[in-house]
Amino acid sequence: MGSLILCHKKKAKHPYEISRIHTRISTLEELCYYLCNNLYLIDYTIMNEQLCRWIADELEMQDLAVKLVELIRNHGSAEKFVVLVLHESRIYTPGEMAHIQNVLEKLKNQKEVERQKYKADKLMESGELESAILVYMSIVNGEKDDSVDKRFYGRVSACLAGAYGRAFLYEESARMYEKAYKICEDNKMLEGYLYASSRYMPQDEYQKMVMSNEILLEIDNKLTEKIEKVRENINIEPSKELFEEWKKEYRRA
């Protein structure tokens, strides 16, 4: 028999808008759901005194609001902020709380640039394409962290290439796939490079490029077969399917 979860009955008359995703929440449960599903995205857009006032005034949870305000003013971490809200909600079992805290602990031990990549990956998953591109660009064009494997930046470049492809910016996509390949030497990146190139280059130029290199020719043949299979299975333009497939290869930090 499953355990019962006590839900809070109070519903806000005036919903709180999470500016990052333009979503309104009206209950403590909705706030907790957002926090648990966006642990990598917690920042000032959710961890602020405006939210605390909303919790006090709309949800009538003054004690929780006071604790959160104190945490913010003492420059407490986002991890502590999340745990405090979830703990006070009494929605989650001890096992669930332990899992959430383990994830938060892992985040705390990650390098800032790794957290930024995961943030961009999550933005992509939630459909915030422009925001994801900006975060990927900030990593690729920003100051490099020499403590991470250099292939990490190749994977980020590939992710950015996939995001450009999803936005139909094929020339930019090809450029980033080429940059990613030079770092990682992964043929999957060449596959993405060729597909993006084929979408913006004149056909004769593309064929000349492919025919001049045996590796590119071999990959182009395989890519053609893959495109035909995608078309047969979904009967639509394969761009989205292919870029999504390639991008999944590089989501791991």
Side-chain angles (χ1 to χ4, degrees):
M1 182 176 179
S3 60
L4 295 176
I5 298 177
L6 176 63
C7 293
H8 296 258
K9 294 181 180 180
K10 186 63 180 177
K11 184 174 183 178
K13 292 181 180 179
H14 304 95
Y16 181 82
E17 181 170 337
I18 301 174
S19 58
R20 174 183 293 283
I21 58 174
H22 306 293
T23 294
R24 293 185 173 187
I25 57 175
S26 299
T27 65
L28 182 64
E29 285 78 11
E30 290 173 355
L31 173 59
C32 291
Y33 179 84
Y34 173 81
L35 293 176
C36 286
N37 286 276
N38 297 278
L39 292 175
Y40 280 83
L41 302 182
I42 306 304
D43 59 14
Y44 67 91
T45 61
I46 192 72
M47 185 179 169
N48 56 63
E49 292 193 23
Q50 181 184 353
L51 174 64
C52 299
R53 287 193 296 272
W54 180 81
I55 290 173
D57 298 340
E58 295 290 334
L59 301 185
E60 298 178 359
M61 300 184 70
Q62 287 83 4
D63 290 346
L64 173 58
V66 168
K67 292 177 183 178
L68 293 174
V69 168
E70 183 179 359
L71 179 67
I72 292 172
R73 292 180 178 177
N74 289 329
H75 307 290
S77 67
E79 292 79 15
K80 289 182 179 179
F81 185 91
V82 171
V83 170
L84 184 54
V85 174
L86 300 184
H87 182 267
E88 290 291 320
S89 74
R90 295 184 175 85
I91 295 172
Y92 299 92
T93 65
E96 289 170 332
M97 285 298 300
H99 171 72
I100 292 167
Q101 287 179 288
N102 285 338
V103 173
L104 290 169
E105 187 65 27
K106 178 183 176 183
L107 293 181
K108 188 170 65 174
N109 294 330
Q110 277 194 331
K111 297 177 176 63
E112 178 60 26
V113 71
E114 293 172 329
R115 292 172 65 105
Q116 287 298 307
K117 179 184 180 296
Y118 196 92
K119 174 192 271 189
D121 292 342
K122 286 296 184 180
L123 288 168
M124 276 289 290
E125 289 175 13
S126 64
E128 297 180 74
L129 188 57
E130 291 182 7
S131 296
I133 286 174
L134 289 175
V135 178
Y136 286 134
M137 286 179 62
S138 71
I139 299 173
V140 170
N141 299 325
E143 185 177 349
K144 298 296 185 289
D145 184 341
D146 294 332
S147 67
V148 300
D149 179 5
K150 71 173 185 177
R151 290 170 62 87
F152 169 83
Y153 287 99
R155 291 192 291 271
V156 175
S157 296
C159 287
L160 177 56
Y164 277 142
R166 291 284 300 275
F168 308 110
L169 300 171
Y170 294 117
E171 187 169 0
E172 290 86 347
S173 178
R175 177 170 52 83
M176 293 312 302
Y177 270 128
E178 184 178 25
K179 181 176 182 178
Y181 176 75
K182 287 179 179 178
I183 297 173
C184 296
E185 298 183 345
D186 183 338
N187 282 356
K188 276 284 185 181
M189 295 170 181
L190 277 185
E191 197 173 283
Y193 166 72
L194 286 181
Y195 182 77
S197 296
S198 71
R199 299 309 304 266
Y200 83 88
M201 292 177 69
Q203 187 62 22
D204 58 337
E205 288 185 21
Y206 176 78
Q207 287 299 324
K208 183 178 179 180
M209 177 183 72
V210 170
M211 296 299 292
S212 67
N213 186 297
E214 289 185 7
I215 295 176
L216 293 183
L217 180 59
E218 180 182 354
I219 293 175
D220 179 69
N221 290 333
K222 292 180 180 179
L223 179 60
T224 300
E225 293 177 5
K226 181 177 290 189
I227 290 173
E228 289 306 315
K229 287 182 181 179
V230 172
R231 284 199 175 112
E232 290 173 5
N233 292 335
I234 61 178
N235 197 32
I236 62 172
E237 172 58 46
S239 301
K240 182 176 180 179
E241 290 288 325
L242 289 171
F243 280 117
E244 186 62 26
E245 176 189 330
W246 293 321
K247 190 171 181 305
K248 285 178 181 177
E249 297 285 329
Y250 317 116
R251 281 186 179 149
R252 296 183 298 275

